[in-house]
Amino acid sequence: MTASGPTVTSLQRATDRPGDASPFALGLLLRRAHDRAAAALVEALRPSGLELRHFAAMIALVEHGSMSQRELADALLGDKASMVRVIDDLEDKGLVRREPVPGDRRMNSIVLTERGLSVFDEVHLAAAPIHEQLVSHLRPGEADHLLDVLTRFTHPDL
Amino acid sequence: MTASGPTVTSLQRATDRPGDASPFALGLLLRRAHDRAAAALVEALRPSGLELRHFAAMIALVEHGSMSQRELADALLGDKASMVRVIDDLEDKGLVRREPVPGDRRMNSIVLTERGLSVFDEVHLAAAPIHEQLVSHLRPGEADHLLDVLTRFTHPDL
DNA sequence: TATTGTTATACTCTATAACTATA
DNA sequence: TATAGTTATAGAGTATAACAATA
């Protein structure tokens, strides 16, 4: 069925001018795009029992070496209280360790374990074909270009 | 401070190959990009007292004419129960009406009111400069290209 | 029997505040 | 006084299930 009646033509003036997409279009598209990508990546993570926020922390640790929980929380836009539980989960699975920081006993230095390292690599390799399938209907080079533009979009200060 | 120690070099093999970005990079970037866009658009909506999901429904109604609540829920990826409250809010504000559908008394036809129409236009116009500022640091044409690629990314079936 | 809309409920995620131990 | 980590709690958002009316 369709409940659609005739479109109110006076409304069109704000949306139907060519090249004048809704200022909300970008945000709504980004939400759908994220939902689609996240659903695929969650599948890649399922065998490891990890969730996206856990793996995001592991990626940050690979990129930056060991980090404090505060640094991880800031980098991943979460609050420090949420990060405690993420690290708890990863530590319970033996993927990271909390180590003392010489010179400041308030802080933990979070480091990947050997097991965390191999799990990271396994997930990483298993996710590659999933990513490929995710962008397989785009034209050649568009996926890389998308990554490039999104990187600069998310860093307006650079 | 920085808790960083030396990076474990054996880890790099999965991430440091040029052109071999993490298969998770796209998903994580999309989340950040969405958060940034959503924060800006929420500002645009503040004067109207609406939230993104309300305005998303209004946009759908402008694009498709009147829709049933089921159609709106499907189109916006929400469940029908959540949509009930979105329509409740919009109806309380006098922006939409629930109208009977001739031939099927189970359904409501959701239609924008005159007030909803003018509010839509106001928000739309107020959001334009916010969108411009959001993409102002991108190169000319990149924002349109981004919209184009995201549209196709979110519609793998087309 | 299936579907629309509704209501109530449960669950997840996030955000906030308070507490400790250190600085 | 300020900060890192922890804990407990409250709130928002979402998902699920049951229900009534209708098909």
Coordinates of all heavy atoms in Angstrom, one line a residue, chain B residues 28-119:
Chain B
L28 N 35.0 3.5 11.8 CA 35.3 4.5 12.9 C 35.3 5.9 12.4 O 34.8 6.8 13.1 CB 36.7 4.1 13.4 CG 36.9 2.7 14.0 CD1 38.3 2.5 14.4 CD2 36.0 2.6 15.3
L29 N 35.7 6.2 11.2 CA 35.6 7.5 10.6 C 34.2 7.9 10.4 O 33.8 9.1 10.7 CB 36.4 7.6 9.3 CG 37.8 7.8 9.4 CD1 38.4 7.7 8.0 CD2 38.1 9.2 9.9
L30 N 33.3 7.0 10.0 CA 31.9 7.3 9.8 C 31.3 7.7 11.1 O 30.4 8.6 11.1 CB 31.2 6.2 9.1 CG 31.5 6.0 7.6 CD1 30.9 4.7 7.1 CD2 30.9 7.1 6.8
R31 N 31.7 7.0 12.2 CA 31.1 7.4 13.5 C 31.5 8.8 13.9 O 30.6 9.6 14.3 CB 31.5 6.4 14.5 CG 30.8 6.7 15.9 CD 30.9 5.5 16.8 NE 32.2 5.2 17.3 CZ 32.7 5.7 18.4 NH1 31.9 6.4 19.2 NH2 33.9 5.4 18.8
R32 N 32.8 9.1 13.7 CA 33.2 10.5 14.1 C 32.6 11.5 13.2 O 32.2 12.6 13.7 CB 34.7 10.6 14.0 CG 35.4 9.8 15.0 CD 36.9 10.1 15.0 NE 37.6 9.3 16.0 CZ 38.7 9.7 16.7 NH1 39.1 10.9 16.5 NH2 39.3 8.9 17.5
A33 N 32.5 11.2 11.9 CA 31.9 12.2 11.0 C 30.4 12.4 11.3 O 29.9 13.5 11.3 CB 32.0 11.7 9.6
H34 N 29.7 11.3 11.7 CA 28.3 11.5 12.0 C 28.2 12.3 13.3 O 27.3 13.2 13.4 CB 27.7 10.1 12.2 CG 26.3 10.2 12.8 ND1 26.1 10.0 14.2 CD2 25.1 10.6 12.3 CE1 24.8 10.2 14.5 NE2 24.2 10.5 13.4
D35 N 29.0 12.0 14.3 CA 28.9 12.7 15.5 C 29.1 14.2 15.3 O 28.4 15.1 15.9 CB 30.0 12.2 16.5 CG 29.6 10.8 17.1 OD1 28.5 10.4 16.8 OD2 30.5 10.2 17.7
R36 N 30.1 14.6 14.5 CA 30.4 16.0 14.2 C 29.2 16.6 13.5 O 28.8 17.7 13.9 CB 31.7 16.1 13.4 CG 32.0 17.5 13.0 CD 33.4 17.7 12.4 NE 33.6 19.1 12.1 CZ 33.5 19.6 10.9 NH1 33.3 18.8 9.9 NH2 33.7 20.9 10.7
A37 N 28.7 16.0 12.5 CA 27.6 16.5 11.7 C 26.3 16.6 12.6 O 25.6 17.7 12.6 CB 27.3 15.7 10.5
A38 N 26.1 15.6 13.4 CA 24.9 15.6 14.2 C 24.9 16.7 15.3 O 23.9 17.4 15.5 CB 24.7 14.2 14.9
A39 N 26.1 17.0 15.8 CA 26.2 18.0 16.8 C 25.9 19.4 16.2 O 25.2 20.2 16.9 CB 27.7 18.1 17.4
A40 N 26.3 19.6 15.0 CA 26.0 20.9 14.3 C 24.5 21.0 14.0 O 23.9 22.0 14.2 CB 26.8 21.0 13.0
L41 N 23.9 19.9 13.5 CA 22.5 19.9 13.1 C 21.6 20.1 14.3 O 20.5 20.7 14.3 CB 22.2 18.7 12.3 CG 22.9 18.6 11.0 CD1 22.6 17.3 10.3 CD2 22.6 19.8 10.1
V42 N 22.0 19.5 15.5 CA 21.2 19.6 16.7 C 21.1 21.1 17.0 O 20.1 21.6 17.5 CB 21.9 18.8 17.8 CG1 21.3 19.3 19.2 CG2 21.6 17.3 17.6
E43 N 22.2 21.8 16.8 CA 22.2 23.3 17.1 C 21.2 24.0 16.2 O 20.5 24.8 16.7 CB 23.6 23.8 16.8 CG 24.6 23.6 17.9 CD 24.0 24.1 19.3 OE1 23.6 25.3 19.4 OE2 24.0 23.3 20.2
A44 N 21.1 23.5 14.9 CA 20.2 24.2 14.0 C 18.8 23.9 14.4 O 17.9 24.7 14.2 CB 20.4 23.6 12.6
L45 N 18.5 22.8 15.1 CA 17.2 22.4 15.5 C 16.8 23.0 16.8 O 15.6 23.0 17.1 CB 17.1 20.9 15.5 CG 17.0 20.1 14.2 CD1 17.1 18.6 14.4 CD2 15.7 20.5 13.5
R46 N 17.7 23.4 17.6 CA 17.5 23.9 19.0 C 16.3 24.9 19.0 O 15.4 24.7 19.9 CB 18.7 24.4 19.6 CG 18.6 24.7 21.1 CD 19.8 25.2 21.8 NE 20.9 24.2 21.5 CZ 21.1 23.1 22.2 NH1 20.3 22.8 23.2 NH2 22.2 22.3 22.0
P47 N 16.3 25.9 18.2 CA 15.2 26.9 18.3 C 13.9 26.3 18.1 O 12.9 26.8 18.7 CB 15.6 27.9 17.2 CG 17.0 27.8 16.9 CD 17.3 26.3 17.2
S48 N 13.8 25.3 17.3 CA 12.5 24.7 17.0 C 12.0 23.7 18.1 O 10.9 23.3 18.1 CB 12.5 24.0 15.7 OG 13.3 22.8 15.8
G49 N 12.9 23.3 19.0 CA 12.6 22.3 20.0 C 12.5 20.9 19.5 O 12.0 20.0 20.2
L50 N 12.9 20.7 18.3 CA 12.9 19.4 17.6 C 14.2 18.7 17.8 O 15.2 19.3 18.0 CB 12.5 19.5 16.2 CG 11.1 20.1 15.8 CD1 11.0 20.4 14.3 CD2 10.0 19.2 16.3
E51 N 14.1 17.3 17.7 CA 15.3 16.5 17.7 C 15.5 15.9 16.3 O 14.6 16.0 15.4 CB 15.2 15.4 18.7 CG 15.2 15.9 20.1 CD 14.8 14.8 21.1 OE1 15.7 14.1 21.5 OE2 13.6 14.7 21.4
L52 N 16.6 15.3 16.0 CA 17.0 14.9 14.7 C 15.9 13.9 14.2 O 15.5 13.9 13.0 CB 18.3 14.2 14.7 CG 19.5 15.2 14.6 CD1 20.8 14.5 14.8 CD2 19.5 16.0 13.3
R53 N 15.5 13.0 15.1 CA 14.5 12.0 14.5 C 13.2 12.6 14.2 O 12.5 12.1 13.2 CB 14.3 10.9 15.6 CG 13.8 11.4 16.9 CD 14.2 10.4 18.0 NE 14.5 11.1 19.2 CZ 13.8 10.9 20.4 NH1 12.9 10.0 20.5 NH2 14.1 11.7 21.4
H54 N 12.8 13.7 14.8 CA 11.6 14.4 14.4 C 11.7 15.0 13.1 O 10.9 14.9 12.2 CB 11.2 15.5 15.5 CG 11.0 15.0 16.8 ND1 11.8 15.3 17.9 CD2 10.0 14.1 17.3 CE1 11.4 14.6 19.0 NE2 10.3 13.9 18.7
F55 N 12.9 15.7 12.9 CA 13.1 16.4 11.6 C 13.3 15.4 10.5 O 12.9 15.7 9.3 CB 14.2 17.4 11.7 CG 14.1 18.5 10.7 CD1 13.1 19.5 10.8 CD2 14.9 18.5 9.6 CE1 13.0 20.5 9.9 CE2 14.8 19.5 8.6 CZ 13.8 20.5 8.8
A56 N 13.9 14.3 10.8 CA 14.1 13.2 9.8 C 12.7 12.8 9.3 O 12.5 12.5 8.1 CB 14.9 12.0 10.3
A57 N 11.8 12.6 10.2 CA 10.4 12.2 9.8 C 9.8 13.3 8.9 O 9.1 13.0 7.9 CB 9.5 12.0 11.0
M58 N 10.0 14.6 9.3 CA 9.4 15.7 8.5 C 10.0 15.7 7.1 O 9.3 16.0 6.1 CB 9.6 17.0 9.2 CG 8.8 17.1 10.5 SD 9.2 18.7 11.5 CE 8.3 19.9 10.4
I59 N 11.3 15.5 7.0 CA 12.0 15.5 5.7 C 11.3 14.3 4.8 O 11.0 14.6 3.6 CB 13.5 15.2 5.8 CG1 14.1 16.5 6.5 CG2 14.1 14.9 4.5 CD1 15.6 16.3 6.7
A60 N 11.1 13.2 5.4 CA 10.5 12.1 4.7 C 9.1 12.4 4.2 O 8.7 12.1 3.1 CB 10.5 10.8 5.5
L61 N 8.4 13.1 5.1 CA 7.0 13.5 4.7 C 7.1 14.5 3.5 O 6.2 14.5 2.7 CB 6.3 14.1 5.9 CG 5.9 13.1 7.0 CD1 5.4 13.8 8.2 CD2 4.9 12.1 6.4
V62 N 8.0 15.4 3.6 CA 8.1 16.4 2.5 C 8.5 15.7 1.2 O 8.0 16.0 0.1 CB 9.2 17.5 2.8 CG1 9.5 18.3 1.6 CG2 8.7 18.3 3.9
E63 N 9.4 14.7 1.3 CA 9.9 14.0 0.1 C 8.8 13.1 -0.5 O 8.7 13.0 -1.7 CB 11.1 13.2 0.4 CG 12.4 14.1 0.5 CD 13.6 13.3 0.8 OE1 13.5 12.0 1.0 OE2 14.7 13.8 0.9
H64 N 8.1 12.4 0.4 CA 7.2 11.3 -0.1 C 5.7 11.7 0.0 O 4.9 10.9 -0.3 CB 7.5 10.0 0.6 CG 8.8 9.5 0.4 ND1 9.8 9.7 1.4 CD2 9.4 8.8 -0.6 CE1 10.9 9.1 0.9 NE2 10.7 8.6 -0.3
G65 N 5.4 12.8 0.5 CA 4.0 13.1 0.8 C 3.6 12.4 2.1 O 4.4 12.0 2.8
S66 N 2.3 12.2 2.3 CA 1.9 11.6 3.5 C 2.3 10.1 3.5 O 2.4 9.5 2.5 CB 0.4 11.6 3.6 OG -0.3 10.9 2.6
M67 N 2.6 9.6 4.7 CA 3.1 8.2 4.9 C 2.4 7.6 6.1 O 2.0 8.3 7.0 CB 4.6 8.2 5.1 CG 5.4 8.7 3.9 SD 7.1 8.9 4.4 CE 7.7 7.3 4.3
S68 N 2.3 6.3 6.1 CA 1.8 5.7 7.3 C 2.9 5.6 8.3 O 4.1 5.8 8.0 CB 1.3 4.2 7.0 OG 2.4 3.4 6.7
Q69 N 2.6 5.3 9.6 CA 3.7 5.2 10.6 C 4.6 4.1 10.3 O 5.8 4.1 10.6 CB 3.0 5.1 12.0 CG 2.3 6.4 12.4 CD 1.7 6.3 13.8 OE1 0.7 7.0 14.1 NE2 2.2 5.4 14.6
R70 N 4.0 3.0 9.8 CA 4.8 1.8 9.4 C 5.8 2.2 8.4 O 7.0 1.9 8.4 CB 3.9 0.7 9.0 CG 4.6 -0.4 8.1 CD 5.6 -1.1 8.8 NE 5.1 -1.9 9.9 CZ 5.9 -2.6 10.8 NH1 7.2 -2.4 10.8 NH2 5.3 -3.3 11.8
E71 N 5.4 2.9 7.4 CA 6.3 3.4 6.3 C 7.4 4.3 6.8 O 8.5 4.1 6.4 CB 5.5 4.1 5.2 CG 4.6 3.2 4.3 CD 3.8 4.0 3.3 OE1 3.2 5.0 3.7 OE2 3.7 3.5 2.2
L72 N 7.0 5.2 7.7 CA 8.0 6.1 8.3 C 9.0 5.3 9.1 O 10.2 5.5 9.0 CB 7.3 7.1 9.2 CG 6.7 8.3 8.4 CD1 5.8 9.1 9.4 CD2 7.8 9.2 7.9
A73 N 8.5 4.3 9.9 CA 9.4 3.5 10.7 C 10.4 2.7 9.8 O 11.6 2.7 10.1 CB 8.7 2.6 11.6
D74 N 9.9 2.1 8.8 CA 10.8 1.4 7.9 C 11.8 2.3 7.2 O 13.0 2.0 7.1 CB 9.9 0.7 6.8 CG 9.1 -0.5 7.4 OD1 9.4 -0.9 8.5 OD2 8.2 -1.0 6.7
A75 N 11.3 3.5 6.7 CA 12.2 4.4 6.0 C 13.3 4.9 6.9 O 14.4 5.2 6.4 CB 11.4 5.5 5.4
L76 N 13.1 5.1 8.1 CA 14.0 5.7 9.0 C 14.7 4.7 9.9 O 15.4 5.1 10.9 CB 13.3 6.8 9.9 CG 12.6 7.9 9.1 CD1 11.9 8.8 10.0 CD2 13.5 8.6 8.1
L77 N 14.6 3.4 9.6 CA 15.3 2.4 10.3 C 15.0 2.2 11.7 O 15.7 1.6 12.5 CB 16.8 2.6 10.1 CG 17.4 2.6 8.7 CD1 18.9 2.8 8.7 CD2 17.0 1.4 7.9
G78 N 13.9 2.8 12.2 CA 13.5 2.6 13.5 C 12.4 1.6 13.6 O 11.9 1.1 12.6
D79 N 12.0 1.2 14.8 CA 10.9 0.3 14.9 C 9.6 1.1 15.0 O 9.6 2.3 15.3 CB 11.1 -0.5 16.2 CG 11.3 0.3 17.4 OD1 12.1 1.3 17.3 OD2 10.7 0.0 18.5
K80 N 8.5 0.5 14.9 CA 7.2 1.2 14.8 C 6.8 1.8 16.2 O 6.2 2.8 16.3 CB 6.1 0.3 14.3 CG 5.9 -1.0 15.2 CD 4.7 -1.8 14.7 CE 4.6 -3.1 15.6 NZ 3.4 -3.8 15.3
A81 N 7.3 1.1 17.3 CA 7.0 1.7 18.6 C 7.6 3.0 18.9 O 7.0 3.9 19.4 CB 7.4 0.6 19.7
S82 N 8.9 3.1 18.4 CA 9.5 4.4 18.6 C 8.9 5.5 17.7 O 8.8 6.7 18.2 CB 11.0 4.3 18.2 OG 11.7 3.3 18.9
M83 N 8.4 5.1 16.6 CA 7.8 6.1 15.7 C 6.5 6.7 16.3 O 6.2 7.8 16.1 CB 7.5 5.4 14.3 CG 7.0 6.4 13.2 SD 8.1 7.8 13.0 CE 9.6 7.0 12.4
V84 N 5.8 5.9 17.1 CA 4.6 6.4 17.7 C 4.9 7.6 18.5 O 4.2 8.6 18.4 CB 4.0 5.3 18.7 CG1 2.9 5.9 19.5 CG2 3.5 4.1 17.8
R85 N 6.0 7.6 19.3 CA 6.3 8.7 20.1 C 6.8 9.9 19.3 O 6.6 11.1 19.7 CB 7.3 8.3 21.2 CG 6.7 7.9 22.5 CD 7.6 7.1 23.3 NE 7.8 5.7 22.7 CZ 8.6 4.8 23.1 NH1 9.4 5.1 24.2 NH2 8.7 3.7 22.5
V86 N 7.5 9.6 18.2 CA 8.0 10.7 17.3 C 6.7 11.5 16.8 O 6.7 12.7 16.8 CB 8.8 10.2 16.2 CG1 9.1 11.3 15.2 CG2 10.2 9.6 16.8
I87 N 5.8 10.7 16.3 CA 4.6 11.3 15.8 C 3.8 12.0 16.9 O 3.2 13.1 16.7 CB 3.7 10.3 15.0 CG1 4.5 9.6 13.9 CG2 2.4 10.9 14.5 CD1 5.0 10.6 12.9
D88 N 3.7 11.4 18.1 CA 3.1 12.0 19.2 C 3.6 13.4 19.4 O 2.9 14.4 19.6 CB 3.3 11.2 20.5 CG 2.3 10.0 20.5 OD1 1.4 9.9 19.7 OD2 2.6 9.1 21.4
D89 N 5.0 13.5 19.5 CA 5.6 14.8 19.7 C 5.3 15.8 18.6 O 4.9 16.9 18.9 CB 7.2 14.6 19.8 CG 7.6 13.7 20.9 OD1 6.8 13.6 21.9 OD2 8.7 13.2 20.9
L90 N 5.4 15.3 17.4 CA 5.1 16.3 16.3 C 3.6 16.7 16.3 O 3.3 17.9 16.0 CB 5.4 15.6 14.9 CG 6.9 15.4 14.7 CD1 7.1 14.5 13.4 CD2 7.7 16.7 14.5
E91 N 2.7 15.8 16.6 CA 1.3 16.1 16.7 C 1.1 17.1 17.8 O 0.3 18.1 17.7 CB 0.5 14.9 16.8 CG -1.0 15.1 16.4 CD -1.7 13.7 16.4 OE1 -1.5 12.9 17.3 OE2 -2.6 13.5 15.5
D92 N 1.7 16.9 19.0 CA 1.6 17.8 20.1 C 2.0 19.2 19.8 O 1.4 20.2 20.3 CB 2.4 17.3 21.3 CG 1.8 16.0 21.9 OD1 0.6 15.7 21.6 OD2 2.5 15.4 22.7
K93 N 3.0 19.3 18.9 CA 3.5 20.6 18.5 C 2.7 21.2 17.3 O 3.0 22.3 16.8 CB 5.0 20.5 18.1 CG 5.9 20.3 19.3 CD 7.4 20.1 18.8 CE 8.3 20.0 19.9 NZ 8.5 21.2 20.7
G94 N 1.7 20.4 16.9 CA 0.9 20.9 15.8 C 1.6 20.9 14.4 O 1.2 21.6 13.5
L95 N 2.6 20.0 14.2 CA 3.3 20.0 13.0 C 2.9 19.0 12.0 O 3.1 19.0 10.8 CB 4.8 19.8 13.3 CG 5.4 20.8 14.3 CD1 6.9 20.6 14.5 CD2 5.2 22.3 13.9
V96 N 2.2 17.9 12.6 CA 1.6 16.9 11.7 C 0.2 16.5 12.2 O -0.1 16.9 13.4 CB 2.5 15.6 11.6 CG1 3.9 15.9 11.2 CG2 2.5 14.9 13.0
R97 N -0.6 15.9 11.4 CA -1.8 15.3 11.8 C -1.9 13.9 11.5 O -1.3 13.4 10.5 CB -3.0 16.1 11.1 CG -3.5 17.3 11.7 CD -4.9 17.7 11.1 NE -4.8 17.8 9.6 CZ -4.4 18.8 8.9 NH1 -4.2 20.0 9.6 NH2 -4.4 18.8 7.6
R98 N -2.6 13.1 12.3 CA -3.0 11.7 12.0 C -4.3 11.8 11.3 O -5.3 12.2 11.9 CB -3.1 10.9 13.3 CG -1.7 10.5 13.9 CD -2.0 9.8 15.2 NE -0.8 9.0 15.7 CZ 0.0 9.4 16.6 NH1 -0.1 10.6 17.1 NH2 1.0 8.6 17.0
E99 N -4.4 11.3 10.1 CA -5.6 11.3 9.4 C -6.0 9.8 9.0 O -5.2 9.0 8.8 CB -5.5 12.1 8.1 CG -5.3 13.6 8.4 CD -5.5 14.4 7.1 OE1 -5.4 13.9 6.0 OE2 -5.6 15.7 7.2
P100 N -7.3 9.6 9.0 CA -7.8 8.2 8.7 C -7.5 7.9 7.2 O -7.5 8.8 6.4 CB -9.3 8.2 8.9 CG -9.6 9.7 8.9 CD -8.4 10.5 9.3
V101 N -7.2 6.6 6.9 CA -7.0 6.2 5.6 C -8.2 5.5 5.1 O -8.6 4.5 5.6 CB -5.8 5.2 5.5 CG1 -5.6 4.6 4.1 CG2 -4.5 5.9 6.0
P102 N -8.9 6.1 4.1 CA -10.1 5.4 3.5 C -9.7 4.0 3.0 O -8.8 3.8 2.2 CB -10.5 6.3 2.3 CG -9.7 7.6 2.5 CD -8.4 7.2 3.3
G103 N -10.5 3.0 3.5 CA -10.3 1.7 3.0 C -9.5 0.8 4.0 O -9.4 -0.4 3.8
D104 N -8.8 1.4 4.9 CA -8.0 0.6 5.9 C -8.0 1.4 7.2 O -7.2 2.2 7.4 CB -6.6 0.2 5.4 CG -6.0 -0.9 6.3 OD1 -6.4 -1.0 7.5 OD2 -5.1 -1.6 5.8
R105 N -8.9 1.0 8.1 CA -9.0 1.8 9.4 C -7.9 1.5 10.4 O -7.9 2.0 11.5 CB -10.4 1.5 10.0 CG -11.5 2.2 9.2 CD -12.8 2.3 9.9 NE -13.4 0.9 10.2 CZ -14.5 0.7 10.9 NH1 -15.1 1.8 11.5 NH2 -14.9 -0.5 11.1
R106 N -7.0 0.5 10.0 CA -5.9 0.3 11.0 C -4.8 1.4 10.9 O -4.2 1.7 11.8 CB -5.2 -1.1 10.6 CG -6.1 -2.3 10.9 CD -5.4 -3.5 10.4 NE -5.1 -3.4 9.0 CZ -4.4 -4.4 8.3 NH1 -4.0 -5.5 8.9 NH2 -4.2 -4.3 7.0
M107 N -4.7 1.9 9.7 CA -3.6 2.9 9.4 C -3.9 4.3 9.7 O -5.1 4.7 9.6 CB -3.2 2.7 8.0 CG -2.4 1.4 7.7 SD -1.6 1.5 6.1 CE -3.0 1.4 5.0
N108 N -2.9 5.1 10.0 CA -2.9 6.5 10.0 C -2.1 7.0 8.8 O -1.1 6.6 8.5 CB -2.3 7.1 11.3 CG -3.0 6.7 12.5 OD1 -4.3 6.5 12.5 ND2 -2.3 6.5 13.6
S109 N -2.7 8.1 8.2 CA -1.9 8.8 7.2 C -1.4 10.0 7.9 O -2.1 10.9 8.4 CB -2.9 9.2 6.0 OG -2.1 10.0 5.1
I110 N -0.1 10.1 7.9 CA 0.6 11.2 8.6 C 0.8 12.3 7.6 O 1.5 12.1 6.6 CB 1.9 10.8 9.3 CG1 1.7 9.6 10.1 CG2 2.5 12.0 10.1 CD1 0.8 9.7 11.2
V111 N 0.3 13.5 7.9 CA 0.4 14.6 7.0 C 1.0 15.9 7.7 O 0.6 16.1 8.9 CB -0.9 15.0 6.3 CG1 -1.4 13.9 5.4 CG2 -1.9 15.3 7.3
L112 N 1.8 16.6 7.0 CA 2.3 17.9 7.6 C 1.2 18.9 7.6 O 0.4 19.0 6.7 CB 3.5 18.4 6.7 CG 4.8 17.8 6.9 CD1 5.8 18.3 5.9 CD2 5.4 18.1 8.3
T113 N 1.1 19.6 8.7 CA 0.2 20.8 8.8 C 0.8 22.0 8.1 O 2.0 22.0 7.8 CB -0.2 21.1 10.2 OG1 1.0 21.5 10.9 CG2 -0.7 19.9 10.9
E114 N 0.1 23.0 8.0 CA 0.6 24.3 7.5 C 1.7 24.8 8.4 O 2.8 25.3 8.0 CB -0.5 25.4 7.5 CG -1.3 25.3 6.2 CD -0.5 25.6 4.9 OE1 0.4 26.5 4.9 OE2 -0.7 24.8 3.9
R115 N 1.5 24.6 9.7 CA 2.5 25.1 10.7 C 3.8 24.2 10.6 O 4.9 24.7 10.6 CB 1.9 24.9 12.1 CG 2.9 25.3 13.2 CD 2.3 26.3 14.2 NE 3.3 26.5 15.3 CZ 3.4 25.8 16.4 NH1 2.6 24.8 16.6 NH2 4.3 26.1 17.3
G116 N 3.6 22.9 10.4 CA 4.7 22.0 10.2 C 5.5 22.4 8.9 O 6.7 22.3 8.9
L117 N 4.8 22.8 7.9 CA 5.4 23.2 6.7 C 6.3 24.4 6.9 O 7.4 24.5 6.4 CB 4.3 23.5 5.7 CG 4.5 23.5 4.2 CD1 3.4 22.8 3.5 CD2 4.6 24.9 3.7
S118 N 5.8 25.4 7.6 CA 6.5 26.6 7.8 C 7.7 26.4 8.7 O 8.8 26.9 8.5 CB 5.7 27.8 8.3 OG 5.3 27.6 9.6
V119 N 7.5 25.6 9.7 CA 8.6 25.2 10.6 C 9.7 24.5 9.9 O 10.9 24.7 10.0 CB 8.1 24.4 11.8 CG1 9.3 23.7 12.5 CG2 7.3 25.2 12.8

